[in-house]
Amino acid sequence: MSFSSLQLHPTLLNTLACLGYETPTPIQKQAIPLILSGRDIVAAAQTGTGKTAAFCLPLLQSLTEGKRGPAHSVRCLILAPTRELAAQIGGSVRTYSKDLNLRSQTVYGGVQVYPQINGLKRGADILVATPGRLMDLVQQEAVNFSHLESLVLDEADRMLDLGFEKSLNELLTLIPKHRQTLMFSATYSEHIRKLAKMWLSNPVEVAISKGNQVAITVRHQLYPVDKARKGELLADLLERQHWEQALIFAKTKRGADEVTERLASQGFNVAAIHGDKSQPVRLSTLDAFKSGKLSYLVATDIAARGLDIQSLPVVINLDLPHVAEDYIHRIGRTGRAGQEGRAVSLVCADEFDALQAIEALLKTRIIRKEMAGFEPDHRVPDSHPRSQKKSIKSSSSNKSKKDKSKNIEPKPDVTQGPGLRTSPFAKLTTKK
């Protein structure tokens, strides 16, 4: 199937040809005809499947057939959970609409609001926004929705995770009831289904992936390591593997800064992004990474969604996420569009519960590989059922041996001076 068979406008087809897009992805094949017919849809598709083009292309075509609204009005509203994703969608809208007579604007927090207010004075055919900044603009009467024709909720599950449900409920009271609504989500939880019932009218469900799946082109691997040596192992891996680029996830902003400083001091081309960085710095850092000027990007989960980085070879989890589903979103940055990718995790014993949850979600055991010189003092248990049975059996055997030998007098400790007693097994647990 080609894009021309989807009944897209010739101008859009020409733009796609210039971009090198030849064949629509599964989500595009299913969603574009439905959107062009005016239906509401709720779509579950894993990251990297072409969701942005799936809703942008048919909406742009519909907008070319209508009339621009008055000052401050918006005809199509696209909501995204993070500034980075909003900026990326806004860039895609500009790329796809470059030869169309349409006006678009992107608004998000972290930058001055007044240029955004001024930009909306003439109205916009398409407004891409984060919920928080959008409600700020509503309160300042900088935008109205009386001419709204279509609404897109992208990464709807992430918006709920970030606490935007109240803003979404407020927005629902402001927009016209008669509109086309499209909801896209990486996961398809019961909460998302309930949200869809509130926002959508007789929607068609489009499911490209079942539940929380990852691309089959991604290879998963973990290195057991003690927590204190994660930064050291990370540097060693980057040195050995010679990955052209890597996206590295840290659990905290402080942790991201610390590992970035460590890597930079060792000569690695690295930078960090997280919530404490200013928006211009975050965007310029992302641009440098996307263009290949920056080799290694350390990020908190703020960067997990929506980043479209071509041919990213590996995602590294310096820390496992608290929520198993976030592992899916993190590694969704690699193995996109059928390309091979790697998901590498550095796991300490404290993270075993998180690891178990991730493996249960993936329905597979992640391959373990110990790096010579980094063998952990605190072993990461194996969650594989066979290993657990073996461990239970071994434990029972040890207990039996202890029971048989409990009448044996233990050897006295070796004494080193008055009051100082050292176990004869101390050398076995002391790091060289």
Side-chain angles (χ1 to χ4, degrees):
M1 178 185 285
S2 64
F3 279 103
S4 58
S5 65
L6 297 177
Q7 307 301 314
L8 288 172
H9 194 281
T11 303
L12 287 172
L13 292 175
N14 183 61
T15 299
L16 293 173
C18 292
L19 292 171
Y21 295 176
E22 297 177 355
T23 307
T25 65
I27 186 66
Q28 292 163 2
K29 290 177 184 177
Q30 291 194 43
I32 289 175
L34 290 168
I35 298 171
L36 285 174
S37 69
R39 293 297 301 271
D40 284 10
I41 69 168
V42 53
Q46 62 196 39
T47 54
T49 55
K51 289 188 294 179
T52 303
F55 61 76
C56 277
L57 294 173
L59 289 176
L60 288 171
Q61 177 157 321
S62 298
L63 290 169
T64 59
E65 298 167 357
K67 294 181 180 180
R68 182 167 294 156
H72 302 290
S73 66
V74 173
R75 297 173 63 200
C76 172
L77 173 63
I78 303 173
L79 284 180
T82 65
R83 303 167 190 175
E84 284 74 20
L85 182 55
Q88 182 169 295
I89 295 172
S92 296
V93 168
R94 289 190 295 274
T95 298
Y96 299 141
S97 65
K98 65 184 182 69
D99 294 322
L100 301 172
N101 184 27
L102 294 174
R103 187 181 297 151
S104 66
Q105 187 170 345
T106 304
V107 298
Y108 44 72
V111 295
Q112 290 188 352
V113 69
Y114 298 108
Q116 297 176 353
I117 292 174
N118 290 332
L120 285 167
K121 284 182 178 178
R122 294 188 302 162
D125 295 299
I126 307 159
L127 177 64
V128 184
T130 53
R133 177 49 58 94
L134 180 67
M135 296 315 295
D136 288 343
L137 293 169
V138 168
Q139 289 173 5
Q140 298 189 52
E141 299 183 349
V143 59
N144 75 73
F145 305 110
S146 57
H147 288 72
L148 188 72
E149 301 168 20
S150 53
L151 168 70
V152 180
L153 302 176
D154 194 21
E155 302 287 9
D157 51 344
R158 186 61 170 164
M159 280 193 266
L160 295 178
D161 291 342
L162 292 174
F164 286 128
E165 188 166 8
K166 182 179 177 181
S167 295
L168 292 176
N169 289 336
E170 289 178 12
L171 178 63
L172 188 60
T173 65
L174 302 174
I175 58 178
K177 291 183 178 179
H178 299 291
R179 63 179 189 275
Q180 183 178 23
T181 305
L182 317 174
M183 181 182 291
F184 287 78
S185 175
T187 59
Y188 211 179
S189 65
E190 284 303 313
H191 204 169
I192 287 297
R193 292 179 186 275
K194 290 178 182 178
L195 191 69
K197 288 181 180 179
M198 290 175 57
W199 284 79
L200 282 70
S201 173
N202 191 27
V204 179
E205 291 189 5
V206 178
I208 301 303
S209 62
K210 292 183 180 179
N212 296 297
Q213 292 186 341
V214 296
I216 59 173
T217 53
V218 175
R219 289 190 295 131
H220 307 263
Q221 188 175 43
L222 71 82
Y223 291 90
V225 62
D226 288 329
K227 184 185 295 185
R229 303 195 70 196
K230 282 190 174 188
E232 188 182 348
L233 175 56
L234 174 62
D236 190 81
L237 279 172
L238 295 180
E239 188 71 39
R240 288 171 183 261
Q241 298 293 340
H242 302 292
W243 290 306
E244 290 184 8
Q245 283 193 306
L247 177 57
I248 302 160
F249 281 102
K251 188 163 53 179
T252 65
K253 292 178 281 189
R254 180 179 176 182
D257 284 336
E258 286 177 354
V259 75
T260 301
E261 290 172 12
R262 177 173 191 152
L263 293 175
S265 70
Q266 294 178 260
F268 291 99
N269 179 20
V270 62
I273 60 168
H274 51 65
D276 285 350
K277 301 284 185 181
S278 69
Q279 190 60 26
V281 168
R282 282 158 61 174
L283 291 177
S284 63
T285 302
L286 283 174
D287 287 342
F289 189 59
K290 289 181 181 180
S291 66
K293 295 177 182 177
L294 182 66
S295 300
Y296 306 113
L297 178 64
V298 183
T300 52
D301 280 310
I302 196 169
R305 296 288 190 105
L307 297 185
D308 189 6
I309 302 160
Q310 296 297 320
S311 305
L312 182 63
V314 61
V315 169
I316 301 174
N317 293 299
L318 182 67
D319 307 300
L320 291 183
H322 291 298
V323 181
E325 284 80 2
D326 285 340
Y327 178 86
I328 306 294
H329 306 317
R330 287 182 177 188
I331 67 171
R333 305 308 100 215
T334 187
R336 297 166 78 96
Q339 297 180 339
E340 278 196 9
R342 290 184 68 181
V344 175
S345 301
L346 312 187
V347 182
C348 66
D350 291 348
E351 297 173 300
F352 178 62
D353 288 345
L355 174 61
Q356 272 192 311
I358 290 167
E359 290 184 321
L361 190 64
L362 295 174
K363 295 182 174 61
T364 188
R365 174 184 178 273
I366 299 176
I367 297 172
R368 288 149 170 77
K369 180 179 180 181
E370 285 194 355
M371 181 69 74
F374 292 93
E375 297 87 350
D377 292 334
H378 305 284
R379 191 176 67 85
V380 179
D382 197 325
S383 57
H384 194 280
R386 290 180 183 175
S387 300
Q388 289 179 344
K389 288 179 182 178
K390 185 178 179 181
S391 177
I392 293 169
K393 185 177 179 181
S394 173
S395 208
S396 300
S397 174
N398 289 338
K399 185 178 178 183
S400 178
K401 287 178 182 177
K402 282 183 182 178
D403 289 341
K404 288 179 182 179
S405 61
K406 60 184 174 181
N407 293 324
I408 299 175
E409 187 71 23
K411 292 183 180 181
D413 289 346
V414 177
T415 303
Q416 296 182 340
L420 297 176
R421 303 178 67 81
T422 305
S423 166
F425 302 105
K427 288 182 180 179
L428 297 177
T429 56
T430 302
K431 206 178 202 178
K432 291 184 179 180

